[in-house]
Amino acid sequence: MPIVGMKDTRRQQLIQAALESIAEIGLQNTTIVTISRRAGMSSGIISHYFGGKQGLIEAALRYLLDQLGKDFRERIRATDGSPEQRLLCIVEANFTEFQRSELASRTWLSFWARALHEPGFKRLQQINNARLYSNLRYSFAQKLPAQEATEAALKAAAMIDGFWLRGALSPEPEQSFAMGEALCKRYVIGALQQSPR
């Protein structure tokens, strides 16, 4: 295997091990040792590739963010690209099977809990919030006046985050996630129907 390919494979294995460790024992208890053991690699390789635990955890979080973008792009390619379809794809990308999984949901919950105290996590959270709002506003602005598009995007972003959080904490997560996704879709379609254009 080429050196570049081996490096990418090892990095991804370490990111996966970090996600699994966080899901099982929480972010606070996840260490370089728990990650390296799970990945079957020496602890020194984490520092080599990521500069330490913090760098690896941030890389794992970026992986979750990248997955959101990837899922959205895959969905939008199968549509006509209309504002309504874009909005529905944004909602769907936030409620995919992966984003609802125990692995992703526990990592997101741990991440949000620490974002208030960790500048690196806070920055990634701000990036995530800005990306969601920007994508929603762009789509709403194709049909709604500027102020209405802004308000609709803010409401939709809050609904997506709120319903996702409720689903992650629910004793019946699958049902809760499904209901949250459906209500978010209903909102964005209803908001577009107010369009004067």
Side-chain angles (χ1 to χ4, degrees):
M1 178 181 293
I3 294 176
V4 174
M6 177 66 76
K7 179 179 179 180
D8 289 343
T9 299
R10 286 180 174 170
R11 285 176 61 90
Q12 189 55 47
Q13 288 173 339
L14 288 167
I15 287 172
Q16 183 68 24
L19 292 170
E20 290 173 359
S21 180
I22 294 168
E24 182 178 337
I25 62 177
L27 184 56
Q28 188 69 29
N29 295 320
T30 291
T31 65
I32 287 178
V33 174
T34 66
I35 297 169
S36 60
R37 281 180 181 169
R38 192 174 292 270
M41 301 181 197
S42 69
S43 56
I45 203 166
I46 293 176
S47 295
H48 175 71
Y49 285 144
F50 300 97
K53 172 189 168 181
Q54 184 75 11
L56 174 53
I57 298 301
E58 289 185 16
L61 295 171
R62 283 194 295 273
Y63 171 77
L64 295 182
L65 291 174
D66 291 344
Q67 192 65 42
L68 277 171
K70 178 183 176 184
D71 289 337
F72 168 73
R73 289 189 296 272
E74 287 178 353
R75 280 167 166 72
I76 199 65
R77 279 198 293 267
T79 73
D80 60 9
S82 66
E84 179 177 307
Q85 289 300 317
R86 285 183 59 85
L87 288 164
L88 293 176
C89 288
I90 291 170
V91 173
E92 289 173 1
N94 281 272
F95 289 93
T96 60
E97 183 177 347
F98 174 74
Q99 295 298 336
R100 298 194 311 257
S101 70
E102 193 171 276
L103 183 74
S105 61
R106 288 190 177 186
T107 302
W108 278 121
L109 292 173
S110 295
F111 165 52
W112 283 343
R114 292 287 294 276
L116 291 174
H117 310 290
E118 299 280 351
F121 294 171
K122 186 174 183 179
R123 178 178 53 81
L124 288 173
Q125 176 61 16
Q126 290 171 339
I127 290 172
N128 185 37
N129 288 345
R131 183 183 297 172
L132 176 59
Y133 166 75
S134 176
N135 286 335
L136 289 165
R137 190 182 183 297
Y138 172 82
S139 298
F140 278 122
Q142 307 304 305
K143 291 285 187 178
L144 300 175
Q147 183 60 34
E148 290 180 25
T150 295
E151 291 179 4
L154 289 171
K155 290 177 183 178
M159 288 181 70
I160 290 169
D161 285 343
F163 279 120
W164 185 94
L165 182 59
R166 288 172 67 94
L169 297 175
S170 171
E172 297 180 348
E174 284 305 310
Q175 181 178 344
S176 185
F177 277 129
M179 181 178 296
E181 179 178 352
L183 290 172
C184 288
K185 286 182 173 181
R186 187 180 304 172
Y187 170 74
V188 298
I189 291 172
L192 286 180
Q193 288 175 347
Q194 306 303 313
S195 168
R197 300 181 189 178

